[in-house]
Each structure stands twice: as C-alpha cells, then as structure tokens.
Amino acid sequence: MGMAVGVDIGGTKVALALVNEQGNISRHSKLKTDKSVEPAVMIQRIIDAIEQLLKEEGLEDSQISGIGIGSPGPLNSKAGVISCPPNLQNWKDVPIVEQVRAHFPVPVVLENDANAAAMAEKWLGAAQENQDFAYMTISTGVGAGLFADGKLLGGARGNAGDIGHTVVDPSYGQCPCGQKGCLEYIVSGTAIAKRGSELAGETLTTEKVFQRYEQGDANIVPYIDDVFRLIGVACVTLINTFDPEKIVIGGGVSKVGEPLFTKVRDYVSHYALNPAGRETEVVPAQLDQNAGVVGAAGLILAN
C-alpha cells in the first residue's frame, strides 16, 4: 500500500502525518513553529520529525511515495520556494523543497495551504464528485483553493485563490497589506475577535463573539450580519469569476454553522450574475481537522 507524508506548515505549529492511499492517517505529530530560528533550522526539525514518523512505522525513506508540503503563501510552488508569508515573517525566499529533497530520495511537492485543503476535499471530502469547485478557508486568514476541469488551479507561481486580499468594503479601514477593506481584514477569525472585542468593550475570542451574536447582543449582531454578507460577496465573486459547481467553506469561522451558511446561500441566490450560478451549492467542509496534512499527502497520492 502506498504511503505519503503530509506536512502542514502554520504560523504557530507544523502538523505532520503518514497517510495511506485511502486517506487514512497511520502516524502523526506536531511541532511548534519556532520563529526565533532561521528557516533552515526549522526545516531541519521538520525533516527530523519525518524521519521519526518513518522509524515508528518501520519504513525506509525510499518506501514512501513522496512528501507533500502545504504552506502559507505567497510562495512559488513550481520553484519549491516559500516567498514571504505574513505570519512567517523571517521566511524570505526559502528553498524548502530543495532542502527536504536533499534528505529523501522521493518526490517533494509544495503547494499553498488552501490548495492542499482543497485537494483533501476533492480526494475524500465534500467535493469528491465535483470537477469545478472552490474551497474557501476562513480562519486566521482567508484564502481559496480552486479546481477547474478536475485539476488544481495554481496560477503562474501557485498563488491563485488569494481572495483574502480582495477589497470588499473600504470603510473598514486599512489592511496590513496596505489596501483598504480587504476581506481577510473583516471576516477572518482574527478580525472577528478584534472588532468584536472593540464593539463589546471587553476582550472576546472569536467563539465568544459568535455566542454574543446568537444571544442577540445589539452591539455584535449588525457586525456579524455584515461579516456573513461579505462572505456572500466573496462567494458571488468566485461564482462570477470561475463558474464553480460548488463552494466548500472550511476553517474555524465556518464552525458557527447554519447562521453563516443560511445567509451566504441567500446572498448567492440573489446576486450571482448567472441565474444558474444562483443555484451554486455552498456547503461546509468535511475534513477540517486534518485537511491540511491529508491534502498535502494527497498532492502525492491523489495525482
């Protein structure tokens, strides 16, 4: 049975897993993302952790089909380089594929983390039957992975789908990227916790903000209703631009569930340009917890 290693690099942790051809995880581990060390040192820790997974499974390096790596962008997937992720500020033009490949005699593939999660949903999740779909993640950041004609749409360097920095409402102020009113600056989990706390006059987590919303807090309800509307705007933009059969929404913010999906579907049904586009399915992701590592392994196993 073929097996691959999936690596999901995040701003706070790196998740690793050994995944088989059915998408089942046999071994997994996590590392803290140490931003105090040079990227090459952190990558060596990832290499050591992969070696440990293989040792625990009783596998030689050459017995795996490959290693898939999902990373925040911007990156250059074709060159195997992580360019300049905002949440990994000292990772500038890091040749991660070259360093990993020097230790393992197998294929090593790098993709944007949203693309890796989209691969997981295509392989095993909510989009198995779809050839054209968009996966949108709304968590610490906002991004999308896109499938067209059954193939992952990467763009020139692998950064297609970075919808978090689409301007949707300049009145919300300046995003750290420099533009005013970016989607991510308004609807990400980080943004919801920050703005919700400001509106409530006390420090709240994203989950607490949603609890206040469900309780009908008059300070919170208008803002969260607008968050849902702007997620709808993003979905309509994806529909008008890429004509997908389905939009799959994952990430921590999607856990609020039906209040979000009901309002987003309603927005799509009114404002997608093509009447057929107004019927585009909008559904929750099925593989959220392990989508990153499973999707990263799927870059090897599902192609």
Side-chain angles (χ1 to χ4, degrees), residues 122-193:
K122 171 62 178 168
W123 184 22
L124 300 164
Q128 293 180 62
E129 299 177 357
N130 302 108
Q131 297 300 299
D132 296 87
F133 76 95
Y135 168 86
M136 186 191 307
T137 178
I138 311 172
S139 188
T140 304
V142 177
L146 307 166
F147 266 78
D149 295 329
K151 296 179 180 179
L152 191 61
L153 182 62
R157 289 165 291 275
N159 297 301
D162 197 356
I163 60 165
H165 296 281
T166 300
V167 173
V168 292
D169 191 339
S171 70
Y172 275 91
Q174 190 171 40
C175 175
C177 81
Q179 297 193 105
K180 290 185 177 179
C182 287
L183 181 70
E184 181 172 297
Y185 186 63
I186 305 167
V187 311
S188 69
T190 306
I192 290 169

